Amino acid sequence: MIVMKFGGTSIGDAAAIRRTISIITKKMRSKPVVVVSACSGVTNMLHQLVDFTEEGDKEKSEKIISSIKERHKSTVDELASGVDPKRPTPDTTEINQIIDKLCNSLWTLSKAHMGGQIPDADKAYMISLGEYLSSHIVCFMMNALGVKSAWIDARHFMITSHDYLTAAADVHEVQKRAIGIIERSFKNADVVITQGFVGVTVEGDPTIMGRGSSDYSASLLGMVLDADRVEIWTDVDGVCTADPNIVPAAKGIGKLSYEEAAELARFGAKVLHPLSIEPAASKNIPLYVLNSMNPDSEGTVVLGSSCIFDGIKSISYNENIRVINIYSPKMINTTGFLTKIFSTFEKFGVSVDMISTSEASVSVTVDASAPVEPVARELGKFGNITVDRDKSQVSIIGKNIIGVKGAVAAVFDAVSDNKIYMMSQGSSFLNLSIVVDRPEMATVIRKLHKVFFENGN
Ligand code: ADP
Ligand code: ASP
Ligand code: MG
């Protein structure tokens, strides 16, 4: 069995869905379990719908639901009309009824909560509908092309915690349910299609697992099913030496270790969800990152560390972060100071990414979306607080990076014209991160890429 995950752009329109179906059909002998995201942009539209509903904007809510409906219906029409002329034109009545039903349920919830706070479970239901629409369409088209495909609702097995919008999977419960459901589906089908991103509590309330978490759904399924491989199909040639949207010269990386890929994802490389590595790694399952727009490109394989050479593999970034600086002379020669600081972050549920300390001060970075003001107020009890806004973190990532001769000097040399607010070398020896002004981030990434990947290095 293999697990294949297709992201939003891989199923963004009829042409992309056709390409994706041809990729899946080439893997039929491996019993593919296909995990899909919503079509590109649809999850954002559903988030907007939630906002318009809470703001009580009936007109905009209605408009967004009808554009979601139209987009999916016109994709179906285009797919159906493009089927091989030797085959009968597929009947689209049922798939159109499914689209109507899903969009009607959006409208029912939107009307019920117009101008009020939507309960989180209903929000999770609404935001997850993109995955339901796309998975039904892919399944419809596979069957229309003569590939026996079974659609399954991930909410029959993806049991999660009760944090409805950022739920954590309950691996034990998922394992108990997924194997039986999927094995049974393969009795009458050659391909199984399900949704990423969505989950359900044990009581049956809908949940979602956070933005970009379809990668995680796929890796987790790969783990519980003991898959031979997990394939993450996206819109770039694998994990690259930098985000190709920032550095056009970025190249795909052939091999990465699980640790390197996890560090890259944690330090901002959006191509993989930060949680998506661990499940595959726990069973040593190779995880491939491949380009559905260019299926013949080699892509990246993520494997155990013993197969990977030391050295810098990629540059990642978090574009919008804040640096919180805590200055306190009381810190000198005292114990327990850091405990107080970190319990404050814990109290507000704020995750800290980079840390650097000196004798009388501590600086940490947090995501710009974190509630910095209340944290800073509370930290004020322990010292003087300053917050630097509009900053970006840029990291170079690779196995045993600190053993790479001249790496640190090369970083400083490349960014000698840029102001560096903070620097930290991850304790895992896998990353070296700096904080720069946000408007300079792209230039800094390009300079570093030139030094490490373009000058024949
Ligand atoms: P999907 O919808 O397939 O899940 P995402 O948009 O979540 O795709 O992730 C793919 C995007 O990740 C790429 O288009 C690219 O802009 C971005 N990205 C960031 N860092 C990297 C990197 N190091 N290598 C490849 N892509 C990266
Ligand atoms: N559709 C969801 C999102 O846009 C999940 C995913 O793409 O992985 O965040
Ligand atoms: Mg993604």
Side-chain angles (χ1 to χ4, degrees), residues 23-313:
I23 293 168
I24 300 169
T25 45
K26 286 193 185 116
K27 302 279 172 85
M28 293 254 291
R29 273 204 226 115
S30 313
K31 287 175 90 179
V33 177
V34 174
V35 174
V36 295
S37 303
C39 302
S40 50
V42 172
T43 310
N44 290 347
M45 291 167 93
L46 292 163
H47 271 278
Q48 279 176 334
L49 170 65
V50 161
D51 292 343
F52 292 148
T53 299
E54 292 195 327
E55 286 158 16
D57 197 329
K58 192 166 167 241
E59 204 180 310
K60 283 192 182 151
S61 303
E62 218 162 346
K63 216 165 152 194
I64 213 152
I65 296 171
S66 56
S67 76
I68 291 171
K69 194 199 270 191
E70 284 324 305
R71 168 155 173 203
H72 289 90
K73 286 199 164 185
S74 66
T75 301
V76 166
D77 284 347
E78 210 181 320
L79 282 169
S81 63
V83 167
D84 181 351
K86 280 176 250 141
R87 289 176 178 278
T89 312
D91 182 356
T92 56
T93 316
E94 197 184 330
I95 181 70
N96 277 315
Q97 281 168 351
I98 292 173
I99 297 173
D100 284 333
K101 196 170 146 221
L102 291 171
C103 291
N104 286 346
S105 71
L106 271 181
W107 190 222
T108 306
L109 278 171
S110 175
K111 271 197 301 202
H113 298 295
M114 192 59 64
Q117 170 97 33
I118 309 176
D120 282 351
D122 285 345
K123 254 189 216 175
Y125 174 82
M126 292 169 81
I127 297 168
S128 66
L129 280 197
E131 270 67 9
Y132 283 90
L133 288 160
S134 63
S135 58
H136 274 296
I137 293 176
V138 171
C139 190
F140 153 76
M141 201 52 205
M142 296 278 294
N143 283 302
L145 290 170
V147 183
K148 269 168 74 185
S149 306
W151 181 93
I152 42 177
D153 188 341
R155 291 203 168 115
H156 289 158
F157 57 81
M158 192 56 81
I159 306 297
T160 69
S161 66
H162 294 77
D163 312 297
Y164 297 95
L165 304 175
T166 50
D170 181 333
V171 179
H172 183 67
E173 291 296 326
V174 176
Q175 178 127 27
K176 262 192 352 208
R177 291 162 170 80
I179 301 174
I181 293 174
I182 287 170
E183 286 291 3
R184 274 195 300 281
S185 304
F186 271 117
K187 288 212 171 103
N188 301 309
D190 297 319
V191 177
V192 167
I193 296 167
T194 190
Q195 311 78 37
F197 182 54
V198 315
V200 66
T201 64
V202 265
E203 295 83 12
D205 291 328
T207 62
I208 47 178
M209 299 195 281
R211 294 307 304 260
S213 59
S214 293
D215 301 336
Y216 175 56
S217 309
S219 178
L220 189 60
L221 259 185
M223 184 200 102
V224 303
L225 298 172
D226 257 321
D228 297 323
R229 51 202 267 153
V230 173
E231 298 180 352
I232 306 288
W233 288 86
T234 183
D235 59 353
V236 283
D237 286 343
V239 182
C240 300
T241 46
D243 183 343
N245 284 319
I246 293 193
V247 185
K251 294 266 166 349
I253 306 164
K255 279 185 194 173
L256 275 177
S257 70
Y258 293 121
E259 293 80 5
E260 287 172 324
E263 194 84 347
L264 265 171
R266 198 172 109 62
F267 282 84
K270 191 186 160 215
V271 62
L272 285 170
H273 186 274
L275 295 177
S276 64
I277 321 295
E278 201 275 330
S282 71
K283 286 212 176 149
N284 229 0
I285 299 171
L287 188 142
Y288 289 80
V289 181
L290 300 157
N291 190 352
S292 69
M293 317 287 162
N294 181 16
D296 296 329
S297 82
E298 212 184 307
T300 300
V301 56
V302 185
L303 300 157
S305 168
S306 56
C307 319
I308 306 298
F309 64 89
D310 285 1
I312 300 162
K313 307 292 172 13

